[in-house]
Amino acid sequence: MKLVRYGRIGKEKPGLIDDEGKLRDLSGVIGDLAGANLSDKVLRKIAKIPHDTLPLVRGTPRFGVPVGQVGKFIGIGLNYADHAAESNLPVPKEPIVFMKATTSLSGADDPVMLPKGSKKTDWEVELGIVIGTRARYVSEADAEKFIAGYCVVNDVSEREYQLERGGQWDKGKGCDTFGPVGPWLVTRDEVWNVDDLDLYLELNGKRMQTGNTATMIFKVPQIVSYLSQFMTLEPGDIITTGTPPGVGMARNRFLKKGDFLRLGIAGLGEQQQDVIGFQQF
């Protein structure tokens, strides 16, 4: 299934995309796509409902983050060997882990806002994992059971903040709007081979990133198992798993006001974002 949360910011309702690509309302079935509603039991219940009996949503509403009440937004760095090479950094022996602030989360097509004083804001198309069941000290063999599904993530990063300002990467990863997620959550039963998904990103119509999850250093089960040794993963936690080569840092080309991004992953949907200047909320 392709599950979504649609509507104005802070007022999103749960929905799904039916087999004809139409948006259906799920608010009569569940309160939100969050917490226990991401469990296999609830997802099976939703799957059994004849989707053409659900209310049809008219128009073209905004799609928000497809998961509500996100507790943790976790990043894995340098998880493609060719991206590590273009960054002039060694291939990691264990996953590099950082946190993206949950306040960075935004809908797939919401604007990306340059931080105040930004000089090196960059793009990164990535596969996102959404946890469906609490995971603590799980094995790689069992890791898939704890996953609700997958999504597209743009791990927007300010490289000066990340690499030139001392300390952890988090400073360059958690700015407002730096975490577009979606447009939808695709349940794991519909992703036949998560190790063979094409990724792409275009800037102003020019292809910047082309990759495939087959070249990930640490695969999805490894990542989930590894993280569960250090922290309890809760339903709704999002893990973004690294990016293929072609980022702005390697090209010495960073985002500026007026740029337009288009990115996606085969079977998981596409994002489109206008880049805007800093705005005080």
Side-chain angles (χ1 to χ4, degrees), residues 102-257:
T102 55
T103 49
S104 73
L105 288 163
S106 59
D109 297 342
D110 291 346
V112 168
M113 182 180 67
L114 299 174
K116 191 174 183 178
S118 169
K119 298 177 182 178
K120 297 181 179 180
T121 295
D122 204 348
W123 57 83
E124 295 186 69
V125 60
E126 304 197 4
L127 170 71
I129 304 167
V130 176
I131 297 298
T133 304
R134 176 179 285 185
R136 184 169 180 260
Y137 292 103
V138 303
S139 67
E140 290 183 23
D142 290 337
E144 186 181 17
K145 301 174 185 177
F146 297 85
I147 297 171
Y150 303 95
C151 57
V152 182
V153 177
N154 187 358
D155 175 23
V156 185
S157 309
E158 216 296 347
R159 301 301 190 186
E160 184 195 27
Y161 298 177
Q162 176 190 356
L163 301 172
E164 301 173 31
R165 299 283 295 271
Q168 301 295 318
W169 285 11
D170 301 29
K171 288 184 289 187
K173 296 287 189 173
C175 302
D176 293 338
T177 76
F178 272 25
V181 178
W184 41 66
L185 165 68
V186 179
T187 51
R188 74 171 190 270
D189 60 298
E190 293 199 6
V191 181
W192 298 108
N193 186 359
V194 73
D195 293 328
D196 186 20
L197 299 176
D198 290 329
L199 307 86
Y200 63 90
L201 182 144
E202 296 176 357
L203 173 65
N204 301 329
K206 181 180 179 180
R207 180 65 65 95
M208 294 292 173
Q209 290 187 272
T210 301
N212 188 285
T213 55
T215 62
M216 288 170 60
I217 299 165
F218 304 105
K219 306 299 185 182
V220 167
Q222 291 175 280
I223 291 169
V224 172
S225 175
Y226 184 84
L227 290 174
S228 77
Q229 314 303 309
F230 302 100
M231 63 190 82
T232 299
L233 302 174
E234 298 283 1
D237 285 351
I238 299 172
I239 305 164
T240 189
T241 59
T243 198
V247 298
M249 180 173 60
R251 301 171 180 269
N252 197 30
R253 177 18 172 132
F254 299 102
L255 294 173
K256 60 182 185 295
K257 181 180 177 180

